[in-house]
Structures are given as structure tokens and as C-alpha cells.
């Protein structure tokens, strides 16, 4: 059974930083692309960032480019999202997602429960 467990969310002031972690089990982590999504209150879930199995290919939403950094440690079955210069519009529940294949595609088949990020102005 695939499990993705996010951690690291919290309340931070605008301009601050947070680092999210997602620990994966029950899947061949090193052969899967991984991603981060978020959902703000009253809005649909949106793509934030994706990373290929090796970390050699990375994608970001325009809204977070230059502020967020995705990375992974295949030895620890963990993917990270470093979030800097946070803005109130970054507020939402952040979800870790497991891709269907090793490279980045729009298909994510495994999901965590989410971690809340709240950015105050």
C-alpha cells in the first residue's frame, strides 16, 4: 500500500520560509517522478512543482518559480519543497503526489493527506 506522508507545514509571516517533506513508502520511489500540489480555500487543486526520478528534470508553476525549490533524496524515499519569500497567496493545503512513471507527466496516481501552509500578511 502506497503511503505519502507530508510534514513541515505551519503558520509563517509573509516573506518567511518553510520546508515541506514527503516520506514515501509502498512504492519504488527511485523510479517515480514526484510532485507537489496545493489547494487554496474555495479553489481547485493546482500543480506547484514536479521532479523526475533522478532529479534531472524539474518543473515549476509560474507563480512559484524563483521562490520554491523541489528536491529529492532517493536513499531516504523523501521529496522536499523548500519555500522561500512566501506570500499570502501561497496559503493552502499542500499535497505530495507520486507520478505514474519516472519522468514528469500530468499523471499522478498516489496522494498524501496534505499539510496546511498559512502565510499571514
Amino acid at each position: 500500500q502506497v503511503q505519502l506522508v507530508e510534514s513541515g507545514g505551519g503558520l509563517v509571516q509573509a516573506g518567511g520560509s518553510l520546508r515541506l517533506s514527503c516520506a514515501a513508502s509502498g512504492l519504488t520511489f527511485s523510479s517515480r517522478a514526484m510532485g507537489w500540489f496545493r489547494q487554496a480555500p474555495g479553489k481547485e487543486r493546482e500543480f506547484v512543482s514536479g521532479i523526475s526520478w533522478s532529479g534531472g528534470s524539474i518543473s515549476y508553476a509560474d507563480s512559484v518559480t524563483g521562490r520554491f525549490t523541489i528536491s529529492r533524496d532517493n536513499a531516504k524515499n523523501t521529496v522536499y519543497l523548500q519555500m522561500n519569500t512566501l506570500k499570502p497567496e501561497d496559503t493552502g493545503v499542500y499535497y505530495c503526489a507520486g507520478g505514474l512513471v519516472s519522468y514528469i507527466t500530468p499523471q499522478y496516481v498516489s496522494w498524501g493527506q496534505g499539510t496546511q501552509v498559512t502565510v499571514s500578511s
Side-chain angles (χ1 to χ4, degrees), residues 13-16 63 67-68 84-91 119-120:
Q13 288 189 331
S63 58
R67 300 187 298 121
F68 290 12
N84 298 328
T85 320
L86 283 160
K87 304 175 181 180
E89 51 264 43
D90 294 318
T91 294
V119 184
S120 63

Side-chain angles (χ1 to χ4, degrees), residues 28-94:
T28 309
F29 181 81
S30 61
S31 66
R32 299 280 196 94
M34 299 294 295
W36 287 96
F37 288 72
R38 67 186 181 189
Q39 187 167 19
K43 295 187 177 181
E44 293 188 353
R45 187 161 54 188
E46 64 175 359
F47 172 80
V48 174
S49 183
I51 186 168
S52 65
W53 70 276
S54 67
S57 180
I58 288 175
S59 178
Y60 296 102
D62 289 345
S63 58
V64 307
T65 297
R67 300 187 298 121
F68 290 12
T69 302
I70 191 171
S71 62
R72 66 189 295 161
D73 185 337
N74 287 344
K76 295 182 178 180
N77 283 7
T78 302
V79 61
Y80 306 96
L81 186 68
Q82 177 67 43
M83 305 186 295
N84 298 328
T85 320
L86 283 160
K87 304 175 181 180
E89 51 264 43
D90 294 318
T91 294
V93 178
Y94 282 69

Side-chain angles (χ1 to χ4, degrees), residues 3-14:
Q3 279 196 314
L4 301 176
V5 180
E6 302 97 336
S7 62
L11 173 64
V12 64
Q13 288 189 331

